[in-house]
Amino acid sequence: MSNDVVIQNIAQLILPKKTDKPLKGNQLNELKIIENATLVAKDGKVVYAGPHTEEYDAQEVVDATGKVVSPALVDAHTHLVFGGSREHEMALKQQGASYLEILEQGGGILSTVKATREATEDELLKKTDKSLREMMSYGVLTVESKSGYGLDKENELKQLKVSHALEKKYGITMKHTFLGPHAVPKEAESNQAFLQEMIDLLPEVKEYADFADIFCETGVFTVDESREYMKAAKEQGFDVKIHADEIDPLGGLGVAIEQGAISADHLVASSEEDKQALKDSDTVAVVLPGTTFYLGKDQYADARGMLDNNGAVAIASDFNPGSNVTNNLQMVMAIAALKLKLTPNEIWNAVTVNAAKAIDADAGTLEQDDRANFVIWNVPNYEYVPYHYGINHAEYVYKDGKLFIDNRIEVQQ
């Protein structure tokens, strides 16, 4: 019986290891690469992925000579849905204003909250649709999408509904995260009063959200407040996440491990003690080097130290309007190589199988019967993607075994 597609003559086929738990420590540097390979898909599933074979016929046969094939990428931390933009803040940053100083001036998150509240659901849908299509063109077919720019019931739900509408439209895997406690709105009586308001919202947003997240940082929510929120969310059946130790070493990673969070994200300022504790935890440390790069900081998350301590690490974009305005995960892979000193093997595992573990998604591998979501890269070898940075190397993106995006540049003469 004929298959849907056979990809032949693949120069290198990247096959991350399928595993029940996230890869930890040295495991991230183990990556199966098959040269002169074949990939076969039928009915949206992988039939075969391995050494060259002529055993399979198909309706579509693609010659991938000189090219690389990998699972579609997984972006495990994005703020995909938001109103407005914040390009005017670049001048403030260039003058030395810190993130928290901009926030105190009514900029930062609060300016995006204002724009998001003012946007209709249709306006947000149109804007986010464009961002998501760009993201998918870079080879990402599994996306985590956070709320957090509404800071009230109506607008948090609006963001989550936009995410669901796009998931339905494109048929990709999306995970939806309620980040109600992302900042404290100006109208709030106090941090604690607003936090309680967000806790009270948890039962209602459960219909639309897979995870509950909180921003644990100076000027936002303390470790104790974050613990209170995470406990309440778990009681409502949520898996929990946390924005932890992005600026100051408050101990957010430690409370994430304590509460069994599925992931702790940012971790630029995490303590040595907390980084060492990752080895005894399945919490995935999601590092966001693009954010550090965009903010012009010298100190990056210590991904190397986390791996050396046998922790689980993933890499994500943190696409958002204020601190990392890129939906190009390939660019972030390059920053991870240059600034985090991660190997190509570690980077590929961190944006596929481990990123999937950070959001509980069945993605990031190409084993038999896996969903046939894969990318044909117009590069000579798998190390080339993080090496040649700033452009799109994804030539074809396949979803469920069907050509989904064709990025070939056709020059008209």
Side-chain angles (χ1 to χ4, degrees):
M1 186 177 293
S2 179
N3 296 283
D4 294 332
V5 64
V6 173
I7 314 297
Q8 285 287 25
N9 306 316
I10 302 168
Q12 291 183 331
L13 175 61
I14 302 173
L15 294 178
K17 182 180 180 181
K18 198 174 184 72
T19 175
D20 291 334
K21 292 187 176 183
L23 301 177
K24 300 175 81 170
N26 291 335
Q27 292 177 328
L28 263 85
N29 208 29
E30 299 170 4
L31 185 64
K32 189 175 184 180
I33 305 291
I34 297 179
E35 299 191 352
N36 189 22
T38 298
L39 176 66
V40 184
K42 180 177 176 59
D43 297 330
K45 303 288 187 180
V46 175
V47 173
Y48 173 84
H52 179 80
T53 177
E54 302 283 353
E55 291 183 15
Y56 299 92
D57 62 353
Q59 299 168 10
E60 179 187 5
V61 178
V62 178
D63 182 5
T65 298
K67 297 173 183 177
V68 172
V69 172
S70 80
L73 306 183
V74 178
D75 198 337
H77 183 128
T78 85
H79 300 258
L80 187 63
V81 185
F82 59 85
S85 60
R86 284 159 41 192
E87 59 274 16
H88 59 282
E89 291 180 12
M90 289 194 76
L92 294 174
K93 292 170 185 171
Q94 289 162 352
Q95 292 162 19
S98 71
Y99 176 83
L100 293 176
E101 286 170 342
I102 292 171
L103 189 65
E104 288 169 3
Q105 295 175 34
I109 289 173
L110 296 180
S111 65
T112 299
V113 168
K114 183 175 185 292
T116 303
R117 287 177 173 181
E118 290 173 352
T120 66
E121 189 170 322
D122 284 345
E123 287 169 341
L124 280 182
L125 184 63
K126 183 177 179 180
K127 178 177 170 57
T128 309
D129 192 318
K130 179 178 183 293
S131 296
L132 180 60
R133 281 187 283 112
E134 290 166 348
M135 191 175 288
M136 294 187 299
S137 76
Y138 284 101
V140 175
L141 290 184
T142 303
V143 180
E144 185 259 13
S145 175
K146 301 181 189 293
S147 68
Y149 293 124
L151 309 186
D152 62 21
K153 173 181 170 180
E154 175 188 354
N155 291 292
E156 289 293 310
L157 288 172
K158 182 170 69 175
Q159 285 185 266
L160 292 166
K161 288 175 182 177
V162 166
S163 286
H164 278 274
L166 290 170
E167 180 181 26
K168 183 177 181 181
K169 176 178 179 177
Y170 290 112
I172 67 168
T173 298
M174 291 185 70
K175 293 289 185 169
H176 315 278
T177 298
F178 173 57
L179 180 57
H182 190 197
V184 180
K186 289 181 178 180
E187 67 270 17
E189 293 178 16
S190 65
N191 282 31
Q192 186 59 45
F194 176 68
L195 183 64
Q196 188 60 51
E197 183 182 333
M198 294 299 99
I199 289 172
D200 292 343
L201 255 184
L202 287 166
E204 192 160 351
V205 299
K206 187 69 177 71
E207 179 183 350
Y208 301 97
D210 303 289
F211 307 109
D213 198 346
I214 186 168
F215 190 10
C216 178
E217 190 52 73
T218 301
V220 195
F221 297 100
T222 67
V223 164
D224 287 342
E225 288 168 337
S226 300
R227 180 184 289 109
E228 176 187 357
Y229 175 77
M230 294 166 88
K231 285 182 175 180
K234 289 196 295 182
E235 288 174 2
Q236 294 295 331
F238 285 94
D239 279 337
V240 293
K241 294 175 166 286
I242 187 171
H243 283 55
D245 307 329
E246 179 180 1
I247 301 168
D248 293 324
L250 301 187
L253 175 56
V255 78
I257 294 169
E258 169 199 298
Q259 293 298 315
I262 190 169
S263 78
D265 302 31
H266 284 292
L267 313 182
V268 175
S270 293
S271 70
E272 290 300 321
E273 180 183 359
D274 286 348
K275 286 183 287 187
Q276 290 178 17
L278 276 169
K279 68 178 180 293
D280 299 316
S281 167
D282 289 330
T283 296
V284 180
V286 180
V287 296
L288 310 168
T291 304
T292 307
F293 171 82
Y294 185 81
L295 292 175
K297 304 288 187 179
D298 294 326
Q299 181 183 347
Y300 284 75
D302 183 20
R304 177 87 278 136
M306 294 174 197
L307 291 175
D308 291 346
N309 281 316
N310 207 37
V313 171
I315 297 167
S317 72
D318 192 23
F319 171 56
N320 75 84
S323 60
N324 194 35
V325 197
T326 184
N327 33 9
N328 179 355
L329 188 56
Q330 295 175 44
M331 178 68 181
V332 178
M333 291 167 69
I335 297 170
L338 294 167
K339 298 296 186 178
L340 304 185
K341 312 302 182 188
L342 299 183
T343 69
N345 289 13
E346 290 167 339
I347 291 167
W348 280 103
N349 278 321
V351 295
T352 54
V353 60
N354 262 27
K357 295 302 178 190
I359 57 173
D360 192 27
D362 185 9
T365 58
L366 290 174
E367 300 284 331
Q368 187 174 354
D369 293 327
D370 280 348
R371 195 170 175 183
N373 289 346
F374 58 90
V375 180
I376 301 178
W377 303 89
N378 189 15
V379 296
N381 59 71
Y382 78 107
E383 296 175 304
Y384 194 90
V385 173
Y387 156 74
H388 185 170
Y389 71 95
I391 70 163
N392 189 0
H393 295 289
E395 186 169 55
Y396 302 105
V397 181
Y398 278 74
K399 180 176 73 71
D400 299 320
K402 304 288 187 183
L403 181 61
F404 186 53
I405 297 171
D406 181 348
N407 283 324
R408 287 178 299 172
I409 299 172
E410 303 291 349
V411 179
Q412 302 298 318
Q413 292 183 314

